[in-house]
Amino acid sequence: MDSITQGVLGAAVGAAILGKKTGQRGAATGAVIATVPDLDIVLYLFYDKYEMLSIHRGLSHSIIFSILGGFLVAIILSKLKWFHGIKFRTLILYSWLCLFTHIILDAFTAYGTQLFLLFSNSRVGFDSINVVDPVYTAPLIIGLFFSVCDFTSYTSKFRFNNYGLILSSIYLIFTLINKQNVKTEISKILSEENIEYSDLLTIPVGIANLNWYGVAKGKDSIYMMKYYIFSSENSSIDRFAINENYLNQIDKKIADKMRWFAKGFYTVDNVNEKIRLFNLQVDMRGIVTYQNKKAPTRGYFEFSVENGKTTFSSGSLKSDK
């Protein structure tokens, strides 16, 4: 999710656990702790974009990191005057939850996280919520606002924060249920069109879980359509050749990594003797028309081969006007 939402979630978790003991300090510190997993972006200073595909949302977004990081943060907090008198086990729970909720929330987005490193590098993503969704964030902000401000008695003020956490969590669960309903409806449409496929990806676009993209993977093609929950007129189905053979022209390790990163949902093209891959698992900005032809999304990864060496780059298409 976006940084604001992650910070607010950390603050809300912090207020729920330590609010009555530390007041606003528990919320403020929780917001800071919750930003720690995203500090992996600093590594862009030391690694190139290709290497960062597996580093970003990697170890820093794993369960083992939340456990070890929570323990380390708890040790640091125990040395601070703000947290004197609070049991160490409470500080561990506080720190761990601020980290763990960040990681789990990111797992609900399409990009996903490598939740089970160091044991598995599988990318876990529920694909049920957009990276920015005010419907999820607003209850957290409102509940937190009324809890940290002096509008109510001190003993009861933090109940508003708890209400915000409950409402946002209910919405998160709703997105999973809604996703299954959307998947069922898109499957019906594909069946009516006699489209055979082995896997179906559904990703929400925009806010409130109302509009979705369905991406069906066939034997040699992917099929895309946009689905609107409150409209009977959904978009037409577009077909794009996967062109798997193009990936055989680049380094095998790089090709395998791109397949892993896209979870199998991609198409490949050859543009001016360069191999261009469109990753539909991560980039879902919609079908774009450029140079009088269609691409499944704007963002792409590009590979050129010279003297047996594969060079990696990325870009974004500009649509025809």
Side-chain angles (χ1 to χ4, degrees):
M1 295 291 284
D2 63 283
S3 298
I4 293 176
T5 299
Q6 292 290 12
V8 172
L9 176 60
V13 170
I17 298 175
L18 293 183
K20 292 182 179 180
K21 297 179 180 179
T22 63
Q24 298 175 356
R25 295 170 181 174
T29 306
V32 174
I33 296 172
T35 64
V36 170
D38 281 343
L39 292 179
D40 63 358
I41 62 172
V42 174
L43 296 177
Y44 276 102
L45 297 173
F46 308 99
Y47 297 93
D48 60 32
K49 289 183 178 180
Y50 171 73
E51 294 171 313
M52 286 300 295
L53 294 179
S54 55
I55 294 175
H56 180 49
R57 290 200 184 181
L59 185 59
S60 69
H61 285 67
S62 66
I63 293 175
I64 194 168
F65 176 86
S66 71
I67 295 172
L68 297 178
F71 185 77
L72 177 60
V73 171
I75 292 176
I76 296 173
L77 294 181
S78 67
K79 307 297 182 181
L80 301 179
K81 182 173 64 176
W82 284 5
F83 300 95
H84 282 177
I86 299 176
K87 294 180 180 179
F88 186 65
R89 64 188 181 189
T90 302
L91 290 177
I92 291 179
L93 177 64
Y94 167 79
S95 303
W96 172 72
L97 277 177
C98 288
L99 294 172
F100 184 69
T101 52
H102 175 127
I103 293 166
I104 289 298
L105 183 57
D106 274 347
F108 276 79
T109 66
Y111 197 102
T113 65
Q114 294 176 61
L115 203 59
F116 300 111
L117 282 176
L118 302 162
F119 308 102
S120 170
N121 70 344
S122 296
R123 294 179 54 243
V124 179
F126 304 132
D127 312 325
S128 70
I129 193 170
N130 198 26
V131 173
V132 179
D133 194 338
V135 179
Y136 174 81
T137 311
L140 293 174
I141 294 177
I142 295 171
L144 192 63
F145 175 76
F146 281 100
S147 292
V148 299
C149 294
D150 296 324
F151 296 138
T152 58
S153 64
Y154 185 79
T155 56
S156 63
K157 64 190 300 184
F158 286 99
R159 74 176 186 273
F160 293 105
N161 178 70
N162 296 337
Y163 294 157
L165 279 169
I166 291 170
L167 287 174
S168 63
S169 298
I170 289 174
Y171 176 68
L172 207 56
I173 294 171
F174 158 77
T175 66
L176 292 176
I177 298 172
N178 190 40
K179 177 182 176 68
Q180 290 305 311
N181 292 332
V182 168
K183 196 168 186 176
T184 298
E185 293 302 317
I186 292 178
S187 295
K188 290 179 180 178
I189 295 172
L190 293 171
S191 178
E192 291 171 356
E193 296 295 328
N194 296 316
I195 295 175
E196 296 183 1
Y197 60 93
S198 59
D199 204 358
L200 177 60
L201 172 69
T202 52
I203 295 181
V205 290
I207 65 173
N209 241 225
L210 297 177
N211 302 324
W212 293 72
Y213 262 110
V215 183
K217 182 179 180 182
K219 184 177 180 180
D220 55 12
S221 302
I222 61 106
Y223 302 87
M224 289 182 61
M225 66 168 291
K226 198 168 185 179
Y227 180 81
Y228 307 95
I229 289 180
F230 292 119
S231 174
S232 58
E233 296 183 6
N234 294 297
S235 69
S236 59
I237 300 174
D238 286 277
R239 174 188 173 275
F240 297 91
I242 295 175
N243 294 321
E244 180 71 29
N245 58 299
Y246 286 145
L247 284 181
N248 296 330
Q249 300 177 24
I250 67 176
D251 182 271
K252 185 179 184 301
K253 288 184 178 180
I254 294 177
D256 288 344
K257 189 169 186 175
M258 300 312 299
R259 294 185 183 101
W260 165 83
F261 188 57
K263 293 184 182 179
F265 287 95
Y266 57 85
T267 67
V268 192
D269 198 3
N270 189 321
V271 181
N272 299 324
E273 301 304 316
K274 294 183 178 181
I275 306 303
R276 183 174 289 179
L277 183 142
F278 297 91
N279 183 337
L280 302 174
Q281 174 64 47
V282 173
D283 189 324
M284 185 54 74
R285 284 178 277 175
I287 296 171
V288 57
T289 300
Y290 76 107
Q291 298 177 2
N292 296 318
K293 65 178 181 178
K294 288 184 176 181
T297 189
R298 291 181 181 274
Y300 62 84
F301 299 110
E302 196 166 73
F303 312 90
S304 57
V305 180
E306 187 173 349
N307 297 324
K309 183 179 180 180
T310 300
T311 303
F312 171 89
S313 63
S314 60
S316 182
L317 298 175
K318 293 184 179 179
S319 60
D320 295 338
K321 298 296 183 180

